[in-house]
């Protein structure tokens, strides 16, 4: 059954399913119903971390070192469960700044430097090519093994196989074609590939299922469970060793190094960055990955040790432990299972290759090729109308080239290492990104030169201590290079650099490369302060403000048509128009041409372009369109200081704007009050005018009439003259009172308080009004202490108050039966005087009204038949006078049923302290 | 003989106006507030009303409005009197349908002249 063609057919069928899933997911995404906007899908897609290394290689490593296969999975578990906030921040920052790859991330952080982007890309490609070779090796090996069923044959002498008969070549070509079809159908501004993510999540499930299947088969099918296998292994001394962790320091060191390395790799491998950061739909999905991804790792590793032991028990010699997952079912005639396992391995390989090459080709296109092409004037790219097709072509060629490089490495160096060894080389390579990336995320001091120096130093040391030795071990470089150092210099031996022996090669490489990397990074970063661009990007990345950074510091003008043409060139006409049209509508215009080419629009165009060609190139292109104002020397100096100044200014601006808000609010309130007062003043003036003009009207009218007609009879003449006189008096009184009031209210009253005898004043005022009272037949009584009550006041003014109260009282009581009582009493620190009448009283709601200017106690429906001859100013003035001397004046209504049931006016005046002492 | 209704809450002004109008040969009635004014307009049926604006119960404006709403009294002339002389007040009065507006203190000669001109005779 396991003929060549059937295996191939099964493989093609599986790839077809992957393709279908991807296509379906893309369709759903286009219609807005994304299938991958799901935290579980996100977490599963992270499992692209598990490649054929996991599938085949873990068992191989377990067979050699027992649980020494674990650190590779311990690292990601620790990273996700304890350090997930780092990933969360990376995702947030990447989204806010429209990052499309790890090269873009680093380049953008250190001032949008194209050089950095290119360097990161080169390191990534060189570092990951071995890893791709590993996948090719695994697939081709497993294919070969399966093909020889029922015999168990190990593939050997790979390099010797003629090129055209090498299955690995066809695997490479096949994967290239598949990836090109998969990932380069169109350009997306965000570089997201929903279909790919869905397919990856699917294949994560497939490889877990396949591994579980063979695991169950071995553990429960071939043996009687976990305990049974371990018991059997104990019996074999060689195997018994495997189940105990090694105790040497080297072992611990190796564990630490591997764990550390895998912690970094789960984020920094280009495919991991692509899936975890770029393809992420929602930063909050990270939370589910925190437990789901470690769970997946746990599940896929449960059966590793049993399978390894089972394999060693079954095949004591002659069979590579790497192949146990395949050869064990094959040895038991489990063809279907073996095929399933093969598909699982294929799944793991294709997942890795697809994502890795897409990520790498994006970087190569955006950060390596395009910057060079754009600067190459002779190509005239700046004038080409539509570059989107060119971009896609570049990516396709990049994918093909990367896979061919992978195949090349496979033929040259793949022989010397077991699978795991190759993978670790790649891990160590991407570990070089850690200082610049994590430094860039948490430290604002990193500069472009520092990043460049760090990366270069780390890369060179890595290549020297790990990559070249791998060639040497395959025979491509002379072996003396390893054993005696270059040109015989022992101190520079690649894997015992400067005499540091005793470390395994990974720890050794890690130590030196990271030392060089971090050292160079720090040293060059601290040499100068970050410039404006770096500082700005540092703020965006380290502070990661929610809602994205502020507008780009574009100074200058651009024409909308130019921007439009630029975006169309790189995105394609249709996509450009769609995106810009949406933007225009969000700003309230129907077409993009209607908008102003302000900093906002320029920034938006830049971010659109960044998705297609990377942020560094986008910045350059937009700069070519925007006519920047020329900088004078002063401005240059200012910009250099900008970094620190801007921060200080913005803080100051915040406080200033808050103060401004407050001031505006206060101003608004003051204006309101002013308007109110103005209105009251208008009312007052209008009322005063009316009150003054009314008596004047009578005076004038009667005067004129008397003047016109001398023949008016005497009776009428005297009557008219009498009215004139009284109206004149009324007018005079009014004017006096108004002046009083004006003086009081403006504070210009300057009455000096002297000691006055209250009782004496009361008696005098009563005397003054006695005639008035007699005329109306109203009784006036008082109860006073004889003398001795002295207050500090003005004599005349106090008299004025009394007269006002007494004359009010007599006005409102009934003639004949009217009664007014005056009562004076003293407390410890004040004297209280009350004037009570038995008139109609004052309604409760009018108690305060009567103290208002020109208001008289008649209410809206005047119940009094006689309109009292008053000005309506007496009480307000009295109150002002009393308050001027520190007292209070108010009115009370005595309880109904009491003898004097009218109104009671009460005022208090403070007693001077000397008086208090006397009483 | 034409009939004139004098409406004002100030007793002395009423006296002066009453004397003046009687001397000019008009038949005079007097009201002291707005409600009384409306009653007397109905019963006395004057040809012209000398109407003060600031009054209790009903202001001169309200009386004017009420009169003008009644089509039976279309021919009734209204001359408004007030001590408030702001332009807005004058405009308001004329807008409500007064035929003329005199500010206090007035010249007796002017008042008489205006009454006669509004009544439309010599």
């Amino acid at each position: 059954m396991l003929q060549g063609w059937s295996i191939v057919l099964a493989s093609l069928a599986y790839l077809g399913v992957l393709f279908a899933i991807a296509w379906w997911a893309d369709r759903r995404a286009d219609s807005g119903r994304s299938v991958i906007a799901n935290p579980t899908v996100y977490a599963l897609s992270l499992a692209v971390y598990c490649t054929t290394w996991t599938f085949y290689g873990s068992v191989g490593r377990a067979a050699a070192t027992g649980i020494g296969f674990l650190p590779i999975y311990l690292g990601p578990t620790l990273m996700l469960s304890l350090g997930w906030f780092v990933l969360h921040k990376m995702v947030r920052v990447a989204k806010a700044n429209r990052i499309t790859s790890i090269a873009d991330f680093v380049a953008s952080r250190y001032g949008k430097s194209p050089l950095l982007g290119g360097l990161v890309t080169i390191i990534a490609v060189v570092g990951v090519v071995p890893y791709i070779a590993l996948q090719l090796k695994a697939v081709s090996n497993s294919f070969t093994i399966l093909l020889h069923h029922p015999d168990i044959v190990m593939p050997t002498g790979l390099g010797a196989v003629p090129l055209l008969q090498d299955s690995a070549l066809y695997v490479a070509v096949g994967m290239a074609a598949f990836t090109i079809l998969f990932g380069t159908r169109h350009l997306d501004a965000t570089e997201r590939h929903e279909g790919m993510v869905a397919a990856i999540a699917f294949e994560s499930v497939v490889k877990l299922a396949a591994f579980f299947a063979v695991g169950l088969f071995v553990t429960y099918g071939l043996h009687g469970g976990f305990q049974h296998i371990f018991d059997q292994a104990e019996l074999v001394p060689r195997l018994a060793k495997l189940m105990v962790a090694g105790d040497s320091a080297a072992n611990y060191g190796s564990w630490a190094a591997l764990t550390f390395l895998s912690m970094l790799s789960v984020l920094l491998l280009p495919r991991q960055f692509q899936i975890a950061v770029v393809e992420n739909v929602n930063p909050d999905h990270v939370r589910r990955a925190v437990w789901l991804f470690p769970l997946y790792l746990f599940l896929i590793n449960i059966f590793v040790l049993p399978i390894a032991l089972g394999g060693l028990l079954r095949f004591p010699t002659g069979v590579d432990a790497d192949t146990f997952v395949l050869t064990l079912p094959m040895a038991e005639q489990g063809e279907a299972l073996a095929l399933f396992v093969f598909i699982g391995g294929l799944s793991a390989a294709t997942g890795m290759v697809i994502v890795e090459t897409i990520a790498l080709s994006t970087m190569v296109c955006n950060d390596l090729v395009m910057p060079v092409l754009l600067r190459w004037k002779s190509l005239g790219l700046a004038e080409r109308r539509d570059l989107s097709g060119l971009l896609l072509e570049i990516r396709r060629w990049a994918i093909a080239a990367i896979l061919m490089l992978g195949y090349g490495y496979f033929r040259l160096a793949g022989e010397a290492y077991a699978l795991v060894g190759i993978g670790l080389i790649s891990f160590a390579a991407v570990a070089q990104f850690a200082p610049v990336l994590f430094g860039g995320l948490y430290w604002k001091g990193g500069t472009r030169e520092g990043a460049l120096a760090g990366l270069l130093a780390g890369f060179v040391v890595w290549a020297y201590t790990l990559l070249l030795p791998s060639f040497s071990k395959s025979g491509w470089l002379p072996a003396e290079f390893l054993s005696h150092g270059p040109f015989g210099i022992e101190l520079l031996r690649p894997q015992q650099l400067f005499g540091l022996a005793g470390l395994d090669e990974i720890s050794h490489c890690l130590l030196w490369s990271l030392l060089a990397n971090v050292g160079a990074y720090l040293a060059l970063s601290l040499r100068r302060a970050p410039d404006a661009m770096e500082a700005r990007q540092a703020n965006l990345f380290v502070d990661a403000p929610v809602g994205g950074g502020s507008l780009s510091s574009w100074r200058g003008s651009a024409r909308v048509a130019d921007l439009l043409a630029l975006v169309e060139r790189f995105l394609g006409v249709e996509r450009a128009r769609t995106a810009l049209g949406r933007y225009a509508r969000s700003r309230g215009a129907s077409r993009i041409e209607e908008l102003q080419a302000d900093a906002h629009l320029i920034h938006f165009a830049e971010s659109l372009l960044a998705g297609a060609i990377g942020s560094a190139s986008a910045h350059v292109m937009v700069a070519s369109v925007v006519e920047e104002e020329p900088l004078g020397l002063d401005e240059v100096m200012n910009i250099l200081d900008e970094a620190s100044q801007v921060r200080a200014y913005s803080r100051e601006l915040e406080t200033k704007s808050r103060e401004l808000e407050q001031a505006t609010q206060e101003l608004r309130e003051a204006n309101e009050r002013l308007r109110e007062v103005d209105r009251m003043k208008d009312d007052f003036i209008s009322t005063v005018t009316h009150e003054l003009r009314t008596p004047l009207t009578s005076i004038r009218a009667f005067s004129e009439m008397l003047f016109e007609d001398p023949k008016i009879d005497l009776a009428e003449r005297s009557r008219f003259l009498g009215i004139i006189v009284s109206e004149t008096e009324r007018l005079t009184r009014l004017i006096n009172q108004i002046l009083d009031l004006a003086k009081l209210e403006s504070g210009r009253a300057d009455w000096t308080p002297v000691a006055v005898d209250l009782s004496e004043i009361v008696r005098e005022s009563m005397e003054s009004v006695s005639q008035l009272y007699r005329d109306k037949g109203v009784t006036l009584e008082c109860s006073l202490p004889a003398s001795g009550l002295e207050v500090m006041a003005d004599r005349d003014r106090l008299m004025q108050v009394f007269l006002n109260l007494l004359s009010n009282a007599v006005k409102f009581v009934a003639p004949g039966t009217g009664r007014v009582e005056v009562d004076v009493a003293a407390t410890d620190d004040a004297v209280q005087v009350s004037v009570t009448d038995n008139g109609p009283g004052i309604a409760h709601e009018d108690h305060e009204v009567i103290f208002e200017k020109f208001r008289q106690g008649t209410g809206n429906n005047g119940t009094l038949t006689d309109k009292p001859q008053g000005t309506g100013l007496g009480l307000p003035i009295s109150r002002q006078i009393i308050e001027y001397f520190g007292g209070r004046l108010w009115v009370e209504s005595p309880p109904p049923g009491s003898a004097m049931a009218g109104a009671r006016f009460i005022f208090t005046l403070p007693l001077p302290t000397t008086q208090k002492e006397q009483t | 003989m034409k009939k004139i209704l004098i409406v004002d809450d100030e007793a002395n002004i009423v006296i002066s106006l009453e004397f003046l109008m009687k001397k000019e040969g008009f038949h005079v009635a007097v009201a002291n507030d707005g409600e009384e004014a409306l009653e007397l307009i109905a019963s006395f049926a004057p040809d012209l009303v000398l109407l003060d604006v600031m009054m209790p119960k009903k202001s001169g404006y309200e009386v004017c409005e009420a009169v003008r709403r009644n089509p039976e009294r279309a021919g009734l002339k209204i001359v408004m009197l007030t001590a408030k002389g702001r332009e807005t007040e004058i405009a308001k009065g004329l807008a409500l349908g007064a035929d003329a507006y005199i500010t206090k203190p007035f010249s007796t000669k002017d008042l008489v002249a205006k009454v006669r001109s509004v009544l439309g005779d010599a």
Side-chain angles (χ1 to χ4, degrees):
Chain A
M1 179 178 103
L2 290 178
Q3 313 287 354
W5 59 265
S6 62
I7 303 175
V8 171
L9 205 60
S11 309
L12 287 175
Y14 175 71
L15 292 180
V17 168
L18 275 187
F19 201 88
I21 291 176
W23 182 79
W24 171 70
D26 270 335
R27 273 276 299 274
R28 284 282 294 259
D30 283 338
S31 73
R33 289 147 53 229
S34 165
V35 285
I36 69 166
N38 178 330
T40 306
V41 172
Y42 175 70
L44 278 177
S45 67
L46 285 180
V48 74
Y49 178 76
C50 302
T51 66
T52 53
W53 173 349
T54 305
F55 205 77
Y56 294 113
S58 290
V59 175
R61 186 137 173 128
T65 61
I67 53 177
F69 71 95
L70 271 182
I72 310 294
Y73 306 99
L74 219 53
T77 303
L78 284 174
M79 183 49 127
L80 257 295
S81 50
L82 298 179
W84 61 270
F85 51 86
V86 176
L87 175 58
H88 192 263
K89 185 172 186 183
M90 273 167 67
V91 174
R92 264 200 321 123
V93 168
K95 292 223 166 318
N97 293 279
R98 310 225 184 204
I99 301 295
T100 55
S101 69
I102 196 168
D104 196 14
F105 195 95
V106 176
S108 179
R109 163 63 181 85
Y110 294 100
K112 302 202 183 183
S113 154
L115 194 56
L116 257 182
L119 183 59
V120 171
T121 305
I122 292 175
I123 297 177
V125 170
V126 172
V128 170
V129 158
Y131 209 152
I132 292 179
L134 186 164
Q135 312 303 317
L136 296 177
K137 171 170 174 167
V139 172
S140 101
N141 278 3
S142 57
F143 181 73
T144 310
I145 292 172
L146 208 56
L147 210 51
H148 283 98
H149 180 80
D151 301 324
I152 309 256
V153 175
M154 290 293 110
T156 51
L158 286 173
V161 175
L163 192 61
L164 288 177
Q165 285 177 20
D166 192 350
S167 56
L169 177 64
Y170 294 107
V171 171
V173 169
M175 282 194 178
F178 185 65
T179 309
I180 289 173
L181 272 174
F182 214 89
T184 56
R185 275 175 298 138
H186 56 239
L187 273 182
D188 185 288
T190 57
E191 293 296 357
R192 289 188 44 229
H193 311 80
E194 297 231 347
M196 178 184 81
V197 174
I200 295 302
F202 175 70
E203 66 95 356
S204 296
V205 176
V206 169
K207 62 192 179 207
L208 181 64
F211 203 84
F212 239 66
V214 68
L216 287 171
F217 173 73
V218 171
T219 315
Y220 295 102
L222 295 185
H223 298 263
F226 280 93
Q227 200 53 48
H228 186 237
I229 289 198
F230 292 143
D231 290 341
Q232 292 223 293
E234 290 273 350
L235 300 175
V236 182
R238 180 168 67 104
L239 301 185
K241 258 196 314 164
L242 289 178
M243 295 189 292
V244 184
D247 244 340
S248 66
N251 227 334
Y252 284 135
S254 158
W255 263 65
L258 288 178
T259 308
F260 180 64
L261 210 48
S262 53
M263 272 179 79
L264 298 177
S265 304
V266 77
L267 292 182
L268 297 176
L269 283 167
R271 71 173 187 277
Q272 293 300 124
F273 192 88
Q274 179 77 20
I275 285 278
V277 178
V278 178
E279 300 285 348
N280 174 290
V281 172
N282 183 337
D284 289 330
H285 288 178
V286 171
R287 291 176 204 273
R288 186 167 300 189
V290 168
W291 59 269
L292 196 53
F293 183 55
L295 179 65
Y296 183 96
L297 292 177
F298 174 70
L299 287 176
I300 207 166
N301 281 306
I302 291 182
F303 288 112
V304 167
L305 206 49
I307 294 177
L309 294 174
L312 286 171
L313 287 171
R314 183 77 174 71
F315 308 110
T317 54
V319 177
D320 269 334
D322 283 347
T323 65
F324 282 170
V325 280
L326 205 51
T327 49
L328 277 174
M330 279 171 65
E332 303 298 327
Q333 318 305 320
E335 289 180 354
L337 182 60
L339 190 59
F340 188 31
V341 169
F342 173 76
I343 296 292
L346 181 69
S347 184
T350 45
M352 183 277 185
V353 167
I354 289 171
V355 186
E356 203 80 77
T357 45
I358 286 179
L360 284 175
S361 71
T362 306
M363 286 198 272
V364 165
C365 171
N366 287 357
D367 294 278
L368 211 51
V369 176
M370 281 309 291
V372 170
L373 289 184
L374 283 174
R375 281 175 177 82
W376 214 352
K377 293 292 198 301
S378 57
L379 280 183
L381 273 183
E383 283 82 51
R384 290 246 319 241
R385 287 289 316 163
D386 184 3
L387 288 170
S388 58
L390 177 66
L391 286 170
L392 284 175
E393 274 307 305
I394 294 176
R395 288 178 192 200
R396 289 175 188 137
W397 282 106
I399 290 174
I402 290 168
L403 273 162
M404 285 308 113
L405 271 175
Y407 178 70
Y409 184 89
F410 165 70
R411 275 191 85 90
L412 285 174
E415 182 73 52
Y417 278 89
L419 291 173
V420 174
I422 298 179
L424 289 176
I425 296 179
S426 294
F427 272 27
V430 297
Q432 305 311 318
F433 297 145
V436 293
L437 200 133
F438 296 124
L441 211 50
Y442 290 102
W443 182 46
K444 293 192 188 180
T447 66
R448 192 177 310 124
E449 287 81 28
L452 277 170
L455 281 174
L456 266 174
F459 181 60
V460 164
V461 174
W462 166 79
Y464 188 70
T465 55
L466 214 49
L467 189 67
L468 293 183
S470 77
F471 292 149
S472 177
K473 288 183 192 174
S474 316
W476 200 49
L477 284 177
E480 293 78 37
F481 176 65
L482 260 186
S483 51
H484 297 294
F487 314 116
I489 307 175
E490 291 257 343
L491 213 51
L492 289 181
R493 272 179 303 163
Q495 302 205 307
Q496 289 87 29
L497 209 52
F498 304 123
L500 187 66
L503 286 179
D504 65 287
E505 63 177 4
I506 295 295
S507 311
H508 176 264
C509 164
L510 208 56
L511 183 71
W512 286 117
S513 60
L514 283 184
L515 198 64
N517 191 331
V518 174
Y521 177 57
L522 283 175
L524 266 82
S525 290
L526 292 172
R527 269 185 61 203
R528 65 166 179 85
D531 65 29
M533 193 50 150
E534 288 166 345
R536 199 176 79 88
Q537 293 302 101
N539 277 333
L540 287 179
F541 277 64
V542 176
D543 291 335
V546 179
S550 53
L551 290 181
S552 170
S553 56
W554 284 113
R555 305 162 58 244
S557 54
R559 297 205 335 262
V560 174
D562 292 340
L563 282 175
L564 190 59
L566 188 67
V567 177
E568 280 177 357
R569 250 197 350 239
F570 289 99
L571 246 56
V573 178
E574 199 183 295
R575 287 188 110 75
R577 289 230 167 241
T578 317
L580 288 171
R582 220 177 301 135
Y583 172 81
R585 273 190 298 280
S586 76
R587 299 289 294 267
S590 58
R591 293 170 338 124
I592 185 71
E593 283 86 350
E594 289 173 17
L595 285 180
Q596 288 287 348
D598 58 3
H600 215 277
L601 175 59
I602 297 175
H603 183 72
F604 181 73
E606 189 187 341
S607 63
L608 276 181
L609 283 175
I613 59 177
S615 60
S617 298
H619 196 80
V620 167
M621 288 315 296
V622 175
S624 71
V625 168
V626 170
E627 286 156 10
E628 299 249 5
E629 290 146 13
L631 296 175
L633 184 61
D634 287 89
E635 291 180 321
V636 171
M637 300 304 287
N638 284 340
I639 288 177
L640 289 178
D641 284 328
E642 204 183 298
S644 51
Q645 273 189 11
V646 162
R647 251 164 290 158
Y649 284 158
S650 69
R651 230 170 293 138
E652 221 187 290
L653 197 69
E654 259 183 56
T655 28
K656 282 283 185 300
S657 80
R658 228 173 294 137
E659 286 173 12
L660 189 70
E661 259 185 58
Q662 214 173 338
T664 316
Q665 181 61 21
E666 284 174 8
L667 216 75
R668 217 174 281 134
E669 286 170 13
N671 194 32
E672 264 311 306
R673 282 197 299 269
L674 210 68
R675 265 206 286 263
E676 175 78 26
V677 167
D678 200 43
R679 206 168 30 81
M680 276 168 51
K681 184 200 69 172
D682 269 349
D683 282 348
F684 178 66
I685 287 182
S686 145
T687 316
V688 164
T689 318
H690 181 272
E691 294 297 312
L692 292 175
R693 283 180 172 169
T694 303
L696 267 177
T697 310
S698 303
I699 296 173
R700 179 175 184 176
F702 286 118
S703 304
E704 284 185 0
M705 290 190 301
L706 284 172
F707 185 68
E708 286 300 307
D709 187 2
K711 287 210 270 326
I712 295 179
D713 67 71
L714 189 61
E716 282 203 323
R717 204 167 4 161
S718 348
R719 184 175 167 222
F720 289 176
L721 285 169
I723 292 176
I724 291 175
V725 169
S726 74
E727 289 296 288
T728 312
E729 286 173 349
R730 176 179 167 195
L731 192 57
T732 316
R733 256 199 320 274
L734 191 62
I735 291 175
N736 285 339
Q737 285 186 323
I738 290 175
L739 287 175
D740 264 353
L741 209 57
K743 251 203 288 196
L744 275 165
E745 292 204 334
S746 73
R748 275 200 287 274
D750 54 358
W751 313 311
T752 25
V754 294
V756 293
D757 188 336
L758 197 62
S759 317
E760 198 209 314
I761 292 183
V762 172
R763 270 194 292 273
E764 259 198 59
S765 2
M766 282 170 58
E767 189 63 47
S768 319
V769 300
S770 58
Q771 185 61 41
L772 205 60
Y773 274 69
R774 272 200 294 277
D775 286 347
K776 197 170 175 182
V778 176
T779 345
L780 178 60
E781 283 184 10
C782 72
S783 61
L784 286 173
S787 71
L789 267 180
E790 282 196 344
V791 293
M792 301 298 284
D794 180 297
R795 196 172 179 288
D796 290 333
R797 298 291 156 226
L798 213 49
M799 275 275 278
Q800 188 178 347
V801 172
F802 266 115
L803 287 171
N804 176 231
L805 291 178
L806 288 172
S807 53
N808 277 353
V810 77
K811 246 185 272 178
F812 282 90
V813 296
T817 57
R819 230 179 115 76
V820 175
E821 279 181 10
V822 176
D823 193 45
V824 177
T827 64
D828 278 341
D829 53 359
V831 61
Q832 182 171 294
V833 178
S834 63
V835 177
T836 321
D837 66 62
N838 64 349
I842 296 171
H844 203 268
E845 55 266 23
D846 288 339
H847 276 194
E848 279 303 310
V849 170
I850 55 174
F851 288 103
E852 290 177 29
K853 295 188 271 281
F854 300 121
R855 304 297 290 271
Q856 294 180 295
T858 53
N860 281 331
N861 310 309
T863 48
L864 301 175
T865 46
D866 302 326
K867 182 177 166 189
Q869 289 288 310
T871 56
L873 287 176
L875 280 175
I877 292 178
S878 299
R879 181 177 254 184
Q880 292 268 12
I881 293 174
I882 295 292
E883 285 179 2
Y884 184 88
F885 293 117
R888 270 183 60 219
L889 170 62
W890 72 97
V891 66
E892 286 175 3
S893 296
S898 43
M900 303 288 287
R904 174 183 290 151
F905 282 86
I906 309 173
F907 70 85
T908 60
L909 282 171
L911 279 172
T913 42
T914 48
Q915 184 90 8
K916 270 193 266 181
E917 282 162 14
Q918 280 181 15
T919 53
Chain B
M1 198 159 61
K2 298 281 179 133
K3 290 189 278 187
I4 294 194
L5 174 65
I6 298 173
V7 185
D8 200 312
D9 58 339
E10 275 280 334
N12 289 336
I13 296 181
V14 165
I15 294 171
S16 62
L17 286 173
E18 200 181 3
F19 183 84
L20 197 59
M21 290 296 113
K22 278 195 181 142
K23 193 156 154 286
E24 293 299 318
F26 293 105
H27 194 41
V28 173
V30 161
N32 288 104
D33 59 61
E35 277 179 11
E36 219 187 313
L38 287 172
E39 286 166 22
L40 279 171
I41 287 172
S43 58
F44 181 66
D47 300 291
L48 182 140
V49 177
L50 281 174
L51 186 57
D52 180 30
V53 170
M54 302 310 288
M55 290 190 291
K57 290 197 195 152
K58 270 200 161 66
S59 75
Y61 293 129
E62 291 171 43
V63 171
C64 190
E65 236 183 339
V67 167
R68 287 300 173 228
R69 235 181 288 134
N70 189 348
E72 286 178 36
R73 301 270 157 241
L76 177 61
K77 304 290 184 200
I78 299 181
V79 174
M80 291 192 113
L81 295 168
T82 192
K84 287 198 173 187
R86 285 190 294 186
E87 282 183 12
T88 43
E89 321 281 341
I90 299 175
K92 184 173 173 185
L94 293 173
L96 284 172
D99 297 284
Y101 203 101
I102 296 189
T103 54
K104 306 180 194 172
F106 46 79
S107 144
T108 47
K109 275 209 211 103
D110 288 344
L111 180 69
V112 169
K114 184 135 292 177
V115 163
R116 289 213 180 277
S117 93
V118 163
L119 279 174
D121 58 22

